[in-house]
Each structure stands twice: as structure tokens, then as C-alpha cells.
Amino acid sequence: MAGNDDGNDLVKQHCKSLGTWEEQGISRRDFLKFCTAMSAVLALPVTLVPRIAEALEDDKRPSVIWLEFQSCTGDTEALLRAANPTVADIVLDVLSVDYAETIMAAAGFQAEAARHATMKARSGKYIAVVEGSIPTGANGAYCCIGGRSALDITREVCGGAMATITVGTCASYGGIPAAAPNPTGAVGVKDAVPGATVINLPGCPVNTDNLVATVVHLLTFGSPPATDGKGRPLFAYGKRIHDNCERRPHFDAGQYVEQWGDQAHRAGHCLYKMGCKGPETFHNCPSQRYNEKTAWPVSAGHGCAGCSEPHFWDSMTPLYKRLPNVPGFGIETTADHIGLGIAAATAAAFGIHGVVSTLRKGNDSDDEKEG
């Protein structure tokens, strides 16, 4: 409790100097809530909230170049539809989005000139955000912008960035465009630019909270967050969906949905047998959720598709076919079988204990006779 009090005192002390956000129509309370929420997403202690606030107040807004290639624009749409104003407003005010085809006013030569000007003026200091996979087939001819291939542009922009954030599975690992037989030779950014500093935020679409938290970490600490072996931030992809799923108790009890719309489905039982890929998927969907943190596929009654995993379309489909038996308490069994197994194990343990006790008593009796 003392640590929390100290953190709150630091926050209150820092908030006395806030004024910039209030001038923009954002109250101190909302600003503080946003900073606290970001510390929670990043799994940081509350004592670092003032540092996050200080980073967000810096007048030197980092430039962002948002590239879009082989994609459905779902990640841009996810960002634009972020319903929480303390997320959308702060991101737009803190960042200088100097190039983003979907939302920028400029077009054609003017748009390209804006990108080149940013790269020249902010070399090594801007953040690149990439949406969509990079086609490498036919020398990159499958996707060209301004007469240049997506592959060429990616290498140029990401090669000179402070860090590159890939939003969505396509930019992270190639996604659906890279599914077999992959006619365009689609790859993720890291495969296209091996030397770049890349932070992967896979998912269809990206969760805006994870994107904002990653940017906040970059602004606060000047470095990317810790990542797993697939380039994903541990704060967002460090645990399996299965571990935090609200239907997990039903999984452990062997209570499964057997058919869409059956009583078990209506009761919210586990969707493992209906093809849920949660046991092999790492993402924070159950905790962060979408639509103002109100829902995610499993809570809506649909199994996880495993979309945040590399090559998910090839490895996780058919979508409604269950995974092969995976290790875990409850899979391919029922609560009764689990109970019987525990009972048998317990009986065996008591039986062994009884034998050992009898032998000990026998030995003690022999010792007494000899004495």
C-alpha cells in the first residue's frame, strides 16, 4: 500500500503542472486515466505514470510515416474507430503523422514529397508504421506506389526509422496474402528489411491499445518494449489466449460446445471442439478486447482463429476444425473422468501409504520382540 501511496503522490505532484491537455479540451482526470491505463497495459508500476505523462507532454512530437501495402485497411480503420477520445485525441496530438495515404490530405507528388521531406529532416528519429504485407515476387511489381515497388519503399523508410511498428498480421508475417501458394511472394517487414528494428503487432486487426502502448513505451523510454522470439511485445503477447479466457473453467471441467447453438453454446462453455485456436495463440485479446474493451470473438461465441500467429491461415485452418490433442487438464475428457482419475490416484496414494505403514509396524514389532 505504501508503494501505491508514493506513486499517487508523484502523480498528483506532476498533475499540478498540467495545462496543455486542458487547453485542448482533455481534462486532467482523463489525461491521468490515460497515462495510468498505458502503464497498466505495459505492466509498469504506477510510479512511472509521471514519466509517461512527461513524455506525452514533450513539444517535440515524433514524426510518423504510415505505409500501407497488401492489406484490407482494417488496421487503419481500427485506429480511426478507436472510441475512447483519450486514446484517439492524444495519439493525434502527440504524434506528427506526416505520411499516411488513407487519412492525409495530400496526394500524388505532394504526398511523396512529404514522405521524403520527413525522412530527410528526421532521419533516424521518425517512427515507421507498416500495414499490409510486402510482395517480393516479380521484383516487387505486384504493389507499386509512385512508380516504386513496396519492397523498395519499405527498405528505404524502415531502414532509416528509429523503429518500425508492424500493425496487423500481414505486415508482421505476411498474413493471408502469404498463405500457400503465396503467388505474390508476400512477406512481413522483418523478412523484407532484416536489419531494421521491428516491433510486430499481429492480429486481424491490430488492437489500438497495443499500438498506443507501444508508441508510449518508445516515447517514454526511447527504446522498444521487450519482445518474444517472434518480435511481439511481451506485454501484449506474453500469455496464451487460453490462459486468460473466460471460458477456461469450462475447458478444465471438460464442458465443451458440441454444436453451434446447443445448450452448452448458450451457457458459454468452451469452444475448443468447435475449432478455437486459443490454446496455441498468444495475444491479450481476453483482457484488452475491442469495441471500447467490451467484446472479443470468444465472448461473442466464436472461437479464436489464431490470427496473431505466423502463417496462421496455413497452420490454423480449417477454422472450425479442432486442434490436435494438446497437453492440458481437461482436453478430450469429461468432468466425471477427471474426477475418477483423481479418485484413482488418491486411492493409489492411500494404498501405498497403507502398505508402507504396515511394513513399518511390522518392523517395529520385530524390533520390540528382539529387545
Side-chain angles (χ1 to χ4, degrees), residues 168-176 178-179 188 191 200-204 228-232 237 280-282 305-317:
T169 306
C170 293
S172 298
Y173 309 122
I176 292 179
D191 287 335
N200 290 325
L201 299 180
C204 294
D228 63 11
K230 298 173 182 176
R232 303 174 298 191
Y237 301 88
E280 290 190 1
T281 303
F282 289 79
C307 68
S308 60
E309 295 300 314
H311 314 296
F312 84 97
W313 193 257
D314 293 326
S315 61
M316 299 289 189
T317 53

Side-chain angles (χ1 to χ4, degrees), residues 25 46-47 111 113 125 174-175 184 334 353:
V46 69
T47 52
K125 299 179 181 179
T184 66
T334 66
H353 176 73

Side-chain angles (χ1 to χ4, degrees), residues 206-219:
V206 66
N207 188 310
T208 306
D209 290 348
N210 293 336
L211 172 59
V212 175
T214 301
V215 172
V216 167
H217 192 285
L218 286 170
L219 297 182

Side-chain angles (χ1 to χ4, degrees), residues 98-355:
D98 297 325
Y99 181 92
E101 294 176 359
T102 308
I103 63 175
M104 67 191 304
F109 293 110
Q110 290 181 330
E112 297 305 297
R115 189 182 77 230
H116 288 294
T118 299
M119 292 174 59
K120 182 177 180 180
R122 304 289 296 168
S123 179
K125 299 179 181 179
Y126 62 85
I127 298 173
V129 178
V130 182
E131 176 178 7
S133 61
I134 319 300
T136 61
N139 294 320
Y142 290 104
C143 182
C144 293
I145 300 172
R148 299 177 61 196
S149 71
L151 181 60
D152 186 26
I153 295 172
T154 303
R155 287 172 174 169
E156 179 185 40
V157 174
C158 299
M162 171 181 70
T164 297
I165 303 174
T166 64
V167 290
T169 306
C170 293
S172 298
Y173 309 122
I176 292 179
N182 192 3
T184 66
V187 299
V189 173
K190 190 62 177 179
D191 287 335
V193 194
T197 299
V198 179
I199 308 164
N200 290 325
L201 299 180
C204 294
V206 66
N207 188 310
T208 306
D209 290 348
N210 293 336
L211 172 59
V212 175
T214 301
V215 172
V216 167
H217 192 285
L218 286 170
L219 297 182
T220 304
F221 301 103
S223 62
T227 58
D228 63 11
K230 298 173 182 176
R232 303 174 298 191
L234 291 174
F235 73 81
Y237 301 88
K239 293 184 178 180
R240 295 182 305 168
I241 280 181
H242 185 63
D243 297 333
N244 292 323
C245 180
E246 63 259 35
R247 296 176 187 248
R248 176 62 187 267
H250 295 292
F251 173 89
D252 290 339
Q255 298 173 326
Y256 305 110
V257 175
E258 302 287 348
Q259 185 177 353
W260 299 117
D262 65 11
Q263 181 58 39
H265 193 208
R266 293 193 293 271
H269 289 181
C270 179
L271 294 163
Y272 163 70
K273 289 188 176 181
M274 304 306 292
C276 182
K277 306 305 189 294
E280 290 190 1
T281 303
F282 289 79
H283 206 170
N284 60 356
C285 293
S287 56
Q288 289 308 115
R289 304 190 169 203
Y290 293 84
N291 302 325
E292 298 184 72
K293 294 184 175 63
T294 61
W296 66 296
V298 171
S299 70
H302 192 285
C304 168
C307 68
S308 60
E309 295 300 314
H311 314 296
F312 84 97
W313 193 257
D314 293 326
S315 61
M316 299 289 189
T317 53
L319 291 178
Y320 301 116
K321 181 179 179 181
R322 70 180 185 184
L323 290 167
N325 296 345
V326 293
F329 191 58
I331 292 184
E332 286 306 294
T333 188
T334 66
D336 291 338
H337 288 160
I338 292 172
L340 289 173
I342 293 176
T346 303
F350 277 117
I352 294 173
H353 176 73
V355 171

